[in-house]
Amino acid sequence: MAEGKGGRATDRFRRKREAILDASIPILNQKGVKGLTLADAAAAVGLSTTSVTYYFKRKDDLAAACMARGVAWLQEAAESAVAEPTPKARLHRLLEIYLDRARLAALGQAPPLPVLADVRALNEPRRAEVFEAYVKLFRKVRTLFEAPDMAWLSRGRRTARTHMLLEQLFWSAAWLPKYDVDDYPRIRERMFDILVGGLAVEGATWAPAPAPLAELAACEPQEISRDTFLLAATRLINSRGYRGASVDKISASLNVTKGSFYHHIDAKDDLVVACFDRTFEVMRRVQRLAMALPGDQWRRLSSAAAALAEYQLSDYGPLLRVSALSALPEPIRGEQVAHSDRVSDRFASMISDGIAEGSIRPVDPAIAAQMLNATLNAGAELGFWVPGITQKAAPSVFARPLLMGIFVR
């Protein structure tokens, strides 16, 4: 009898814990680790904050549990996908599983998957625990590329393609809500077509124009010190998250006083906005220069993608990762999302013009532009996943697989 009571208590504990996670994931996705509170989670399930601490003692415990559950689901999805016999079949199955889950979440029939980009905002040891699980997932997805006819693909290039592929899944959460859920199967097929076939027409060559990186990063003389400050902040936010990029650490990395921060930026949220403004301005410069190049739209688009991939690993980079958006208040976040959408829309226009002139394959321009944007944003972390990669190699290793096909030699 005692064992029965204990079992029922365990079941109740598990159900309540899962209910808290279900309610907390949308809050985490909307506000990030910085904005998630135990009080919000408690209110969402009709409990007191004290009651929630019975299940999760600290906010980091709750945020990490949300992320860990998402990684566990992705691990199961990856294991199901890689059981398929060929790389293409595995890719299709992974997209099918992921988009079906996104459809159920949009219909309210399943909780949404947690955004994992904010994992660096966790404190230790939770950050290490979630990241360890993510690395296991990453390695499983990388086996998608294992096949006799893919033996030419080096480990580093498989890793780069895996990073790019996972980023497509994560980034889709930003643009899928623009579509009706009935369109998700069509979106899946279009994503699959772009990943397998790329954007280049048959016979196209990979010959992007050289990237004038110094020109892309140029700024007015009186702004140089501010730009240097923003670059240091961008690197810290990318590597440690919003919470980990303290004013003291930013100032220390430049060997300047803390007061210098407030000379350049009024508040920390303003800092993230300034870093995003810098990022989007670089991307706009790249697009303007590419659109002025002689030749067809394929050359312009591939040149823009190559320039941004190289920029990410240069002394002028990286650009700010989109994960920093979750740290911003909602009104400001909306403005930055609009900036990102305008960058994607310009890429979509270039793709549409290329389709019309015959230099780019007939693909969905809007989806292709979002996938390109996802790839270029993820380039900020390429050096972490592929240690030793040079900036000159980045365009071929990372941008080219999306533009010419993820399985193309």
Side-chain angles (χ1 to χ4, degrees), residues 329-351:
E330 287 191 50
I332 301 175
R333 187 190 318 164
E335 295 174 10
Q336 299 307 316
V337 169
H339 282 304
S340 178
D341 286 342
R342 283 194 286 272
V343 170
S344 290
D345 290 346
R346 181 169 285 181
F347 279 135
S349 294
M350 296 170 72
I351 294 168

Side-chain angles (χ1 to χ4, degrees), residues 133-274:
Y134 182 79
V135 170
K136 180 182 177 183
L137 161 68
F138 190 98
R139 289 171 177 162
K140 176 59 66 174
V141 175
R142 189 167 58 193
T143 64
L144 181 151
F145 296 97
E146 292 180 1
D149 60 349
M150 297 290 290
W152 56 270
L153 198 58
S154 69
R155 180 183 177 87
R157 290 179 181 268
R158 286 202 310 272
T159 298
R161 282 164 165 78
T162 302
H163 177 45
M164 185 267 281
L165 174 57
L166 284 169
E167 194 65 21
Q168 301 305 327
L169 302 183
F170 302 149
W171 188 282
S172 68
W175 56 267
L176 275 175
K178 299 178 182 179
Y179 295 85
D180 191 283
V181 291
D182 291 341
D183 292 328
Y184 281 23
R186 177 180 61 85
I187 291 168
R188 177 196 66 219
E189 296 306 314
R190 295 191 173 188
M191 290 180 70
F192 178 75
D193 175 61
I194 291 166
L195 286 167
V196 172
L199 304 185
V201 295
E202 187 175 354
T205 57
W206 177 258
L213 299 187
E215 185 177 344
L216 297 175
C219 56
E220 295 300 320
Q222 64 268 26
E223 295 179 348
I224 289 177
S225 59
R226 186 175 191 271
D227 194 71
T228 301
F229 195 88
L230 293 178
L231 176 56
T234 295
R235 289 171 175 169
L236 271 172
I237 293 170
N238 280 356
S239 64
R240 303 187 186 185
Y242 179 91
R243 286 170 59 183
S246 69
V247 175
D248 287 333
K249 290 175 182 175
I250 296 168
S251 301
S253 70
L254 294 173
N255 196 27
V256 298
T257 65
K258 188 173 179 179
S260 298
F261 172 90
Y262 297 105
H263 172 70
H264 294 294
I265 304 293
D266 292 332
K268 201 171 176 184
D269 284 348
D270 297 330
L271 173 65
V272 179
V273 170

Side-chain angles (χ1 to χ4, degrees), residues 23 49 71 83 100 124 152 176 216 242 251 268 275 280 311 324 350 409:
T49 303
V71 173
D100 188 58
E124 297 293 1
W152 56 270
L176 275 175
L216 297 175
Y242 179 91
S251 301
K268 201 171 176 184
C275 289
F280 293 134
Y311 187 95
M350 296 170 72
R409 185 165 186 168

